[in-house]
Amino acid sequence: MKKIDPWKLAVILLGLVLVLVLVKKFRSPRLEGNLPAALTDIDTAKVTDLIICPTKSPRDTVRLTKTGGWKLKSRSQLLRLEQGAGPNALRVLMAMRPERMISKRKEKWNEYLVGDSTGTRVLVMAGDQVEADLMIGRSGFGQTTAASYGGPAFTY
């Protein structure tokens, strides 16, 4: 039986480790994806306004304002919101996570209602500064194997 030199084994092991490191460094970023972990990174304590601009009727802009409590302003009406409605709206925005890229081509954006002329724009304001500017598109429900209920809700 032939005896293997330990130095040869060490060189082979170091070569394999080097190959592993190079593959992780140069190949993995392409496979992991380019979507951020969260859509928004907002300090909710600084938020003063949520502005919702529907594209179909630009005059029907809805503004949630935090002045002593959350109030809703739509056209000329100023209404007080139920307790917790404003923070809940912020919580929903903060909880939104991207799952996959639908299309990089602008020609397809209107199909999913996320284009400038078809999406609903949501602005999160901290005073006069825009903290987040989101386009909310078409929504739907995911597919599940259970026949009685649909899957979780999603939006583009």
Side-chain angles (χ1 to χ4, degrees), residues 84-149:
N88 280 342
L90 273 176
R91 198 172 302 120
V92 167
L93 281 176
M94 294 295 293
M96 292 176 81
R97 303 279 183 252
E99 292 180 10
R100 62 184 174 148
M101 181 73 68
I102 293 298
S103 175
K104 292 181 182 180
R105 295 190 342 233
K106 286 187 177 187
E107 300 84 39
K108 295 282 240 171
W109 289 359
N110 288 335
E111 183 178 331
Y112 299 103
L113 303 179
V114 292
D116 290 338
S117 61
T118 56
T120 298
R121 173 169 252 131
V122 176
L123 294 167
V124 180
M125 307 289 290
D128 293 334
Q129 184 178 359
V130 176
E131 291 290 315
D133 186 359
L134 303 169
M135 291 299 283
I136 307 294
R138 189 174 74 197
S139 59
F141 294 94
Q143 299 292 322
T144 63
T145 57
S148 58
Y149 296 105

Coordinates of all heavy atoms in Angstrom, one line a residue, residues 84-149:
G84 N -55.3 54.4 16.7 CA -54.5 53.4 16.2 C -54.5 53.2 14.7 O -53.7 52.4 14.1
A85 N -55.4 53.9 14.0 CA -55.5 53.7 12.5 C -54.2 54.3 11.8 O -53.7 53.7 10.9 CB -56.7 54.4 12.0
G86 N -53.7 55.4 12.3 CA -52.5 56.0 11.7 C -51.3 55.1 11.9 O -50.6 54.8 10.9
P87 N -51.0 54.8 13.2 CA -49.9 53.9 13.4 C -50.0 52.5 12.7 O -49.0 51.9 12.3 CB -49.9 53.7 14.9 CG -50.5 54.9 15.4 CD -51.6 55.3 14.4
N88 N -51.2 52.0 12.6 CA -51.4 50.7 11.8 C -51.1 50.9 10.4 O -50.5 50.0 9.8 CB -52.9 50.2 12.0 CG -53.1 49.6 13.3 OD1 -52.2 49.1 14.0 ND2 -54.4 49.4 13.6
A89 N -51.4 52.0 9.7 CA -51.1 52.2 8.3 C -49.5 52.3 8.2 O -49.0 51.7 7.3 CB -51.7 53.5 7.9
L90 N -48.9 52.9 9.1 CA -47.4 53.0 9.1 C -46.8 51.6 9.3 O -45.9 51.2 8.6 CB -46.9 53.9 10.2 CG -46.7 55.3 9.8 CD1 -46.3 56.1 11.0 CD2 -45.8 55.5 8.7
R91 N -47.4 50.8 10.2 CA -46.9 49.5 10.5 C -47.0 48.6 9.3 O -46.2 47.8 9.0 CB -47.7 48.9 11.7 CG -47.0 47.7 12.3 CD -47.7 47.3 13.6 NE -47.8 48.3 14.6 CZ -48.9 48.8 15.1 NH1 -50.1 48.3 14.7 NH2 -48.9 49.8 16.0
V92 N -48.1 48.7 8.5 CA -48.3 47.9 7.3 C -47.2 48.3 6.3 O -46.7 47.4 5.6 CB -49.7 48.1 6.7 CG1 -49.8 47.6 5.3 CG2 -50.8 47.5 7.6
L93 N -47.0 49.6 6.1 CA -45.9 50.0 5.2 C -44.6 49.5 5.6 O -43.8 49.0 4.8 CB -45.9 51.5 5.1 CG -46.9 52.2 4.2 CD1 -46.8 53.7 4.3 CD2 -46.8 51.7 2.8
M94 N -44.3 49.5 6.9 CA -43.0 49.0 7.4 C -42.8 47.5 7.2 O -41.7 47.0 7.1 CB -42.8 49.4 8.8 CG -42.7 50.9 9.1 SD -41.3 51.6 8.3 CE -40.0 50.9 9.3
A95 N -44.0 46.8 7.3 CA -43.9 45.3 7.2 C -43.8 44.8 5.8 O -43.6 43.6 5.6 CB -45.2 44.7 7.9
M96 N -44.0 45.7 4.8 CA -44.0 45.2 3.4 C -42.6 44.8 3.0 O -41.6 45.5 3.3 CB -44.4 46.3 2.4 CG -45.9 46.6 2.6 SD -46.4 48.0 1.5 CE -46.6 47.2 0.0
R97 N -42.4 43.6 2.5 CA -41.2 43.0 2.1 C -41.2 42.6 0.6 O -42.2 41.9 0.2 CB -40.8 41.8 2.9 CG -40.8 42.0 4.4 CD -39.5 42.6 4.8 NE -39.4 42.8 6.3 CZ -39.5 43.9 6.9 NH1 -39.6 45.0 6.2 NH2 -39.4 44.0 8.2
P98 N -40.2 42.9 -0.1 CA -40.2 42.5 -1.5 C -39.9 41.0 -1.6 O -39.1 40.4 -0.9 CB -39.1 43.3 -2.2 CG -38.2 43.7 -1.0 CD -39.1 43.8 0.2
E99 N -40.7 40.3 -2.5 CA -40.5 38.8 -2.6 C -39.8 38.5 -3.9 O -39.0 37.5 -3.9 CB -41.8 38.1 -2.5 CG -42.5 38.2 -1.2 CD -43.8 37.5 -1.1 OE1 -44.2 36.8 -2.1 OE2 -44.5 37.7 -0.1
R100 N -40.1 39.1 -5.0 CA -39.5 38.8 -6.3 C -39.6 40.0 -7.2 O -40.5 40.8 -7.0 CB -40.0 37.6 -6.9 CG -41.5 37.7 -7.2 CD -42.0 36.4 -7.7 NE -43.5 36.5 -7.9 CZ -44.2 35.9 -8.8 NH1 -43.6 35.1 -9.6 NH2 -45.5 36.1 -8.9
M101 N -38.7 40.0 -8.2 CA -38.8 41.1 -9.2 C -39.8 40.6 -10.3 O -39.6 39.5 -10.9 CB -37.4 41.2 -9.8 CG -37.3 42.3 -10.9 SD -37.4 44.0 -10.2 CE -35.9 44.1 -9.3
I102 N -40.7 41.4 -10.6 CA -41.7 41.1 -11.6 C -41.2 41.4 -13.0 O -41.2 40.6 -13.9 CB -43.1 41.8 -11.3 CG1 -43.7 41.3 -10.1 CG2 -44.0 41.7 -12.5 CD1 -44.1 39.9 -10.1
S103 N -40.7 42.7 -13.2 CA -40.2 43.1 -14.5 C -39.3 44.3 -14.3 O -39.6 45.2 -13.5 CB -41.4 43.5 -15.4 OG -40.9 43.9 -16.6
K104 N -38.2 44.2 -15.0 CA -37.3 45.4 -15.0 C -37.6 46.3 -16.2 O -37.2 47.5 -16.2 CB -35.8 44.9 -15.2 CG -35.3 44.1 -14.0 CD -33.9 43.7 -14.3 CE -33.3 43.0 -13.1 NZ -31.9 42.5 -13.3
R105 N -38.4 45.8 -17.2 CA -38.7 46.7 -18.3 C -39.9 47.6 -18.0 O -41.0 47.1 -17.5 CB -39.0 45.8 -19.5 CG -37.8 45.0 -19.9 CD -38.1 44.2 -21.3 NE -39.4 44.1 -21.7 CZ -40.0 42.9 -22.0 NH1 -39.3 41.8 -22.0 NH2 -41.2 42.9 -22.4
K106 N -39.8 48.8 -18.3 CA -40.8 49.8 -18.0 C -42.1 49.6 -18.8 O -43.2 49.9 -18.4 CB -40.3 51.2 -18.3 CG -39.4 51.7 -17.3 CD -39.0 53.2 -17.5 CE -38.1 53.7 -16.4 NZ -37.9 55.1 -16.4
E107 N -42.0 48.9 -20.0 CA -43.1 48.6 -20.8 C -44.1 47.7 -20.1 O -45.3 47.7 -20.3 CB -42.7 47.9 -22.1 CG -41.8 48.8 -23.0 CD -40.3 48.6 -22.6 OE1 -39.9 47.5 -22.3 OE2 -39.6 49.7 -22.6
K108 N -43.6 46.8 -19.2 CA -44.5 45.9 -18.5 C -45.1 46.5 -17.2 O -46.0 45.9 -16.6 CB -43.7 44.6 -18.1 CG -43.2 43.9 -19.3 CD -44.3 43.0 -19.8 CE -43.9 41.6 -19.7 NZ -45.0 40.7 -20.1
W109 N -44.6 47.6 -16.7 CA -45.0 48.2 -15.4 C -46.5 48.5 -15.4 O -47.2 48.3 -14.4 CB -44.3 49.4 -15.1 CG -42.9 49.2 -14.7 CD1 -42.2 48.0 -14.6 CD2 -41.9 50.1 -14.3 NE1 -40.9 48.1 -14.3 CE2 -40.7 49.4 -14.1 CE3 -41.9 51.5 -14.2 CZ2 -39.5 50.1 -13.7 CZ3 -40.7 52.1 -13.8 CH2 -39.6 51.4 -13.6
N110 N -47.1 49.0 -16.5 CA -48.5 49.3 -16.5 C -49.4 48.0 -16.4 O -50.5 48.1 -16.0 CB -48.9 50.1 -17.8 CG -48.4 51.5 -17.7 OD1 -48.1 52.0 -16.6 ND2 -48.1 52.1 -18.9
E111 N -48.9 46.9 -16.9 CA -49.6 45.6 -16.8 C -49.8 45.2 -15.3 O -50.8 44.7 -14.9 CB -48.8 44.5 -17.4 CG -49.4 43.2 -17.5 CD -48.6 42.1 -18.2 OE1 -47.8 42.5 -19.1 OE2 -48.7 41.0 -17.8
Y112 N -48.9 45.6 -14.4 CA -49.0 45.3 -13.0 C -49.4 46.5 -12.2 O -49.4 46.5 -11.0 CB -47.6 44.8 -12.5 CG -47.2 43.5 -13.1 CD1 -46.2 43.5 -14.1 CD2 -47.8 42.3 -12.8 CE1 -45.8 42.4 -14.8 CE2 -47.4 41.2 -13.4 CZ -46.4 41.2 -14.4 OH -46.1 40.0 -15.0
L113 N -49.8 47.6 -12.9 CA -50.3 48.8 -12.3 C -49.3 49.5 -11.3 O -49.6 50.0 -10.3 CB -51.6 48.6 -11.5 CG -52.7 48.0 -12.4 CD1 -54.0 47.8 -11.5 CD2 -53.1 48.8 -13.6
V114 N -48.0 49.5 -11.7 CA -47.0 50.2 -10.9 C -46.3 51.3 -11.7 O -45.4 51.9 -11.3 CB -45.9 49.2 -10.4 CG1 -46.5 48.3 -9.4 CG2 -45.2 48.4 -11.5
G115 N -46.8 51.6 -12.9 CA -46.3 52.7 -13.7 C -46.7 54.0 -13.1 O -47.6 54.2 -12.3
D116 N -46.1 55.1 -13.6 CA -46.4 56.5 -13.2 C -47.8 56.8 -13.5 O -48.4 57.6 -12.7 CB -45.5 57.5 -13.9 CG -44.1 57.4 -13.4 OD1 -43.9 56.9 -12.3 OD2 -43.1 57.8 -14.1
S117 N -48.4 56.3 -14.5 CA -49.8 56.6 -14.9 C -50.8 55.6 -14.4 O -52.0 55.9 -14.5 CB -49.9 56.8 -16.4 OG -49.6 55.5 -17.0
T118 N -50.4 54.5 -13.8 CA -51.4 53.5 -13.4 C -51.3 53.2 -11.9 O -52.2 52.6 -11.3 CB -51.1 52.2 -14.2 OG1 -49.8 51.8 -14.0 CG2 -51.5 52.4 -15.6
G119 N -50.2 53.4 -11.2 CA -50.0 53.0 -9.8 C -50.6 54.0 -8.8 O -50.9 55.2 -9.2
T120 N -50.7 53.6 -7.6 CA -51.1 54.5 -6.5 C -49.9 54.9 -5.8 O -49.2 54.0 -5.2 CB -52.1 53.8 -5.6 OG1 -53.3 53.4 -6.3 CG2 -52.5 54.7 -4.4
R121 N -49.6 56.2 -5.7 CA -48.4 56.7 -5.1 C -48.7 56.9 -3.6 O -49.7 57.5 -3.2 CB -47.9 58.0 -5.7 CG -46.8 58.6 -5.0 CD -46.2 59.7 -5.8 NE -44.9 59.2 -6.2 CZ -44.5 59.3 -7.5 NH1 -45.2 59.9 -8.4 NH2 -43.3 58.9 -7.8
V122 N -47.7 56.4 -2.8 CA -47.8 56.6 -1.3 C -46.6 57.3 -0.9 O -45.5 56.8 -1.1 CB -48.0 55.3 -0.5 CG1 -48.0 55.5 1.0 CG2 -49.2 54.6 -1.0
L123 N -46.7 58.5 -0.3 CA -45.6 59.3 0.2 C -45.6 59.3 1.7 O -46.7 59.6 2.3 CB -45.7 60.8 -0.3 CG -45.5 61.0 -1.8 CD1 -46.0 62.4 -2.2 CD2 -44.1 60.7 -2.2
V124 N -44.5 59.1 2.3 CA -44.3 59.1 3.7 C -43.5 60.4 4.0 O -42.3 60.4 3.5 CB -43.7 57.9 4.3 CG1 -43.5 58.0 5.8 CG2 -44.5 56.6 3.9
M125 N -44.0 61.3 4.8 CA -43.4 62.6 5.0 C -43.0 62.7 6.4 O -43.7 62.3 7.3 CB -44.3 63.8 4.6 CG -44.9 63.7 3.2 SD -43.7 64.0 1.9 CE -43.4 65.7 2.1
A126 N -41.8 63.4 6.6 CA -41.3 63.8 8.0 C -41.1 65.3 7.9 O -40.1 65.7 7.4 CB -40.1 63.1 8.4
G127 N -42.2 66.0 8.2 CA -42.1 67.5 8.0 C -42.2 67.7 6.5 O -43.2 67.3 5.8
D128 N -41.3 68.4 5.9 CA -41.2 68.7 4.5 C -40.4 67.7 3.7 O -40.3 67.8 2.5 CB -40.7 70.1 4.2 CG -41.6 71.2 4.7 OD1 -42.9 70.9 4.8 OD2 -41.2 72.3 5.0
Q129 N -39.7 66.8 4.4 CA -38.8 65.8 3.8 C -39.6 64.5 3.5 O -40.3 64.0 4.3 CB -37.7 65.6 4.8 CG -36.6 64.6 4.2 CD -35.5 64.4 5.1 OE1 -35.5 65.0 6.2 NE2 -34.5 63.6 4.7
V130 N -39.3 64.0 2.3 CA -39.9 62.8 1.8 C -39.1 61.6 2.4 O -37.9 61.5 2.0 CB -40.0 62.7 0.3 CG1 -40.6 61.3 -0.1 CG2 -40.9 63.8 -0.3
E131 N -39.7 60.8 3.2 CA -39.0 59.7 3.8 C -39.1 58.4 2.9 O -38.1 57.6 2.8 CB -39.5 59.3 5.2 CG -39.2 60.4 6.2 CD -37.7 60.4 6.6 OE1 -37.2 59.3 6.8 OE2 -37.2 61.5 6.7
A132 N -40.2 58.3 2.3 CA -40.4 57.1 1.4 C -41.4 57.5 0.3 O -42.3 58.3 0.5 CB -40.9 55.9 2.1
D133 N -41.2 57.0 -0.9 CA -42.0 57.3 -2.1 C -42.3 55.9 -2.7 O -41.4 55.4 -3.4 CB -41.3 58.3 -3.0 CG -42.2 58.7 -4.2 OD1 -43.4 58.2 -4.2 OD2 -41.8 59.5 -5.0
L134 N -43.4 55.4 -2.6 CA -43.8 54.0 -3.1 C -44.9 54.1 -4.1 O -45.8 54.9 -4.0 CB -44.2 53.1 -1.9 CG -43.3 53.0 -0.7 CD1 -44.0 52.3 0.4 CD2 -42.1 52.2 -1.1
M135 N -44.8 53.2 -5.1 CA -45.9 53.0 -6.0 C -46.5 51.6 -5.7 O -45.8 50.6 -5.8 CB -45.3 52.9 -7.5 CG -44.8 54.3 -7.9 SD -46.1 55.6 -8.0 CE -47.0 55.2 -9.4
I136 N -47.8 51.6 -5.3 CA -48.5 50.4 -5.0 C -49.3 50.0 -6.2 O -50.1 50.8 -6.8 CB -49.4 50.6 -3.8 CG1 -48.7 51.2 -2.6 CG2 -50.1 49.4 -3.4 CD1 -47.6 50.3 -2.0
G137 N -49.2 48.8 -6.7 CA -49.8 48.3 -7.9 C -51.0 47.4 -7.6 O -51.6 47.4 -6.5
R138 N -51.2 46.6 -8.6 CA -52.3 45.6 -8.5 C -52.1 44.6 -7.4 O -51.0 44.3 -7.0 CB -52.3 44.8 -9.9 CG -53.5 43.9 -10.0 CD -53.5 43.3 -11.4 NE -52.4 42.3 -11.5 CZ -52.0 41.7 -12.6 NH1 -52.4 42.2 -13.7 NH2 -51.0 40.8 -12.5
S139 N -53.2 44.2 -6.8 CA -53.1 43.3 -5.6 C -53.8 42.0 -6.0 O -54.6 41.9 -6.9 CB -53.6 43.9 -4.4 OG -55.0 44.2 -4.5
G140 N -53.5 41.0 -5.2 CA -54.2 39.7 -5.4 C -53.9 38.8 -4.3 O -53.4 39.2 -3.2
F141 N -54.2 37.5 -4.4 CA -54.0 36.5 -3.4 C -53.2 35.4 -4.0 O -53.3 35.0 -5.1 CB -55.4 35.9 -2.9 CG -56.2 36.9 -2.2 CD1 -57.1 37.7 -2.8 CD2 -55.9 37.2 -0.8 CE1 -57.9 38.6 -2.2 CE2 -56.7 38.1 -0.2 CZ -57.6 38.8 -0.8
G142 N -52.3 34.8 -3.2 CA -51.4 33.8 -3.6 C -52.1 32.4 -3.8 O -53.3 32.3 -3.3
Q143 N -51.5 31.5 -4.4 CA -52.1 30.2 -4.7 C -51.7 29.2 -3.5 O -50.6 29.2 -3.1 CB -51.6 29.6 -6.0 CG -52.0 30.5 -7.2 CD -53.5 30.5 -7.4 OE1 -54.2 29.5 -7.3 NE2 -54.0 31.6 -7.8
T144 N -52.7 28.5 -3.1 CA -52.4 27.4 -2.1 C -53.0 26.1 -2.5 O -53.9 26.1 -3.4 CB -52.9 27.8 -0.7 OG1 -54.3 27.9 -0.7 CG2 -52.3 29.1 -0.2
T145 N -52.7 25.1 -1.9 CA -53.3 23.8 -2.2 C -54.6 23.6 -1.5 O -55.4 22.7 -1.9 CB -52.3 22.6 -1.8 OG1 -52.0 22.8 -0.4 CG2 -51.0 22.7 -2.6
A146 N -54.9 24.4 -0.5 CA -56.2 24.3 0.2 C -57.3 24.8 -0.7 O -57.1 25.9 -1.2 CB -56.1 25.0 1.5
A147 N -58.3 24.1 -0.8 CA -59.4 24.5 -1.7 C -60.3 25.5 -1.1 O -61.0 26.3 -1.8 CB -60.2 23.3 -2.1
S148 N -60.4 25.7 0.2 CA -61.3 26.5 0.9 C -61.0 28.0 0.9 O -61.8 28.9 0.7 CB -61.6 26.0 2.3 OG -60.4 26.0 3.0
Y149 N -59.7 28.3 1.0 CA -59.3 29.7 1.1 C -58.1 30.0 0.2 O -57.3 29.1 -0.1 CB -58.8 30.1 2.5 CG -59.9 30.0 3.5 CD1 -60.0 28.9 4.4 CD2 -60.9 30.9 3.6 CE1 -61.0 28.8 5.3 CE2 -62.0 30.8 4.5 CZ -62.0 29.7 5.4 OH -63.0 29.6 6.2

